[in-house]
Amino acid sequence: MVSDLTPTSVLESEHVRVFYYDFDNYIRASYSSKNYLRFCSILQGDKYVEINESEKFKYDSNSFVILPPYSRVKLEIEEKTKALVIEIDSYLINHVLSKLKIEFEPYELGNVNNIFFVGKYSPDLTQTYKKIVDTFFSRKVNREFLLDLYTQEFVYDIFKYRGAEKIINDKNSEIYHILDYINNNYLRRLKISDIAKEFNMKEYEFTRYFKKFTGKSPKEYIKDLKLNKAKELLKFENVTDVCYDIGYENISHFIKEFKNKFGVTPNLYKKALNS
């Protein structure tokens, strides 16, 4: 099975990536998406797809497919086809969701379930989609800024579809799985590279994504978890035991970081608890 799905061209902004594909010949391929929501569209031609081992179906320029992060896709293209894929990170989606109250419109749906979404273009979505396409193919100086701006409107228009929120609601996104994984394993000696590998990301990509969503680097987040746990343990244990229980190997380093965070040494904090 062909696996080379290298895009013809790419545009990347702070929160969005757009990939343009120009397929001249027959192609049969498979791929796994990463940590972005994917909006898959056809500019010309059509495509057969099988998503997350579901039933195979065909779509063209009259409809679109939304994939949640970490989807598995098999595709087949039999004629000349031009496709555009818009990847949107969770930060932008969460930003739109937190600001707006959505009133759903009765748009017709082709297919909706918990593993992907297929819909036809509404008038509103058609307009915002065209803005993104025009920006992608333009040579405007500020097109990265415009891409983020138009994509916010784009996400809002997608949210108007009944059922779409099951796929694009941020609570279903990978960041919650990442946070759950860290929260359950932070007392182990977690390496950032190992966490990134667990979620099929490169370390720099994982760190960038994590910080966009939480405002902290993964190391800062884990450190805060450990120091907050230390406060709990100091009620029952001495400073040395707490230091090693939360994964610090150097007690001086632990004392310094505890004081930097809470403004008091662990020993003085424990004395205050006892008094």
Side-chain angles (χ1 to χ4, degrees):
M1 180 174 287
V2 177
S3 59
D4 184 14
L5 289 173
T6 304
T8 306
S9 56
V10 179
L11 174 62
E12 183 172 359
S13 64
E14 186 175 2
H15 301 293
V16 184
R17 293 190 292 191
V18 182
F19 302 90
Y20 171 64
Y21 298 89
D22 192 345
F23 301 108
D24 285 324
N25 304 310
Y26 173 85
I27 184 171
R28 194 164 173 245
S30 63
Y31 69 90
S32 295
S33 64
K34 292 187 178 181
N35 58 307
Y36 283 71
L37 182 88
R38 276 197 151 210
F39 180 94
C40 304
S41 65
I42 303 291
L43 299 174
Q44 176 188 327
D46 53 47
K47 185 190 298 185
Y48 290 91
V49 292
E50 179 185 313
I51 302 168
N52 293 326
E53 300 177 355
S54 65
E55 184 177 347
K56 186 177 180 180
F57 67 93
K58 177 182 177 181
Y59 75 103
D60 56 23
S61 59
N62 294 314
S63 56
F64 60 87
V65 176
I66 301 175
L67 303 177
Y70 306 112
S71 294
R72 301 176 306 281
V73 180
K74 295 179 182 178
L75 63 88
E76 186 175 0
I77 295 172
E78 298 179 339
E79 61 181 13
K80 183 175 177 62
T81 296
K82 297 180 179 180
L84 199 74
V85 173
I86 304 170
E87 291 189 338
I88 309 167
D89 74 8
S90 293
Y91 180 92
L92 188 146
I93 293 169
N94 188 63
H95 176 71
V96 174
L97 185 60
S98 67
K99 297 291 183 182
L100 301 175
K101 181 179 180 181
I102 306 298
E103 296 180 1
F104 295 108
E105 300 291 340
Y107 297 143
E108 294 296 325
L109 304 179
N111 189 1
V112 58
N113 53 47
N114 291 325
I115 56 175
F116 64 89
F117 176 94
V118 182
K120 295 188 179 297
Y121 291 91
S122 68
D124 289 342
L125 191 64
T126 299
Q127 288 184 8
T128 51
Y129 175 71
K130 187 176 184 302
K131 289 179 184 178
I132 291 173
V133 173
D134 290 346
T135 299
F136 179 83
F137 287 110
S138 75
R139 289 293 177 264
K140 295 178 181 178
V141 176
N142 297 317
R143 66 185 189 140
E144 289 84 2
F145 165 77
L146 291 172
L147 180 60
D148 272 350
L149 183 66
Y150 295 149
T151 304
Q152 290 187 53
E153 183 180 0
F154 187 67
V155 170
Y156 170 66
D157 289 334
I158 293 173
F159 259 113
K160 294 178 182 178
Y161 288 78
R162 287 191 180 96
E165 75 280 1
K166 292 180 181 179
I167 301 300
I168 66 174
N169 191 328
D170 201 48
K171 290 184 179 179
N172 294 322
S173 77
E174 65 288 356
I175 189 63
Y176 288 93
H177 297 293
I178 291 170
L179 292 174
D180 185 61
Y181 178 83
I182 293 175
N183 291 343
N184 288 322
N185 294 282
Y186 71 92
L187 291 178
R188 294 167 44 202
R189 293 177 180 174
L190 285 179
K191 292 182 179 179
I192 305 305
S193 58
D194 291 339
I195 304 173
K197 187 176 181 181
E198 179 77 17
F199 291 92
N200 194 30
M201 295 188 224
K202 296 179 180 178
E203 184 174 350
Y204 77 88
E205 180 185 26
F206 171 76
T207 299
R208 179 186 177 195
Y209 168 73
F210 189 92
K211 192 167 185 177
K212 278 183 181 179
F213 189 89
T214 65
K216 300 177 181 179
S217 70
K219 288 183 178 179
E220 290 171 334
Y221 183 83
I222 292 171
K223 181 176 74 173
D224 283 349
L225 285 176
K226 288 185 174 184
L227 294 177
N228 285 325
K229 182 66 175 179
K231 287 180 71 175
E232 294 180 23
L233 295 177
L234 284 169
K235 298 175 184 177
F236 316 105
E237 300 179 15
N238 63 52
V239 173
T240 301
D241 287 344
V242 170
C243 171
Y244 295 123
D245 284 348
I246 64 172
Y248 278 82
E249 297 180 354
N250 185 302
I251 192 166
S252 297
H253 183 54
F254 165 62
I255 292 171
K256 180 180 178 181
E257 292 205 330
F258 189 97
K259 186 176 181 181
N260 285 341
K261 181 170 177 61
F262 301 116
V264 64
T265 65
N267 192 45
L268 288 175
Y269 177 79
K270 184 173 180 62
K271 286 181 179 179
L273 287 176
N274 293 334
S275 63

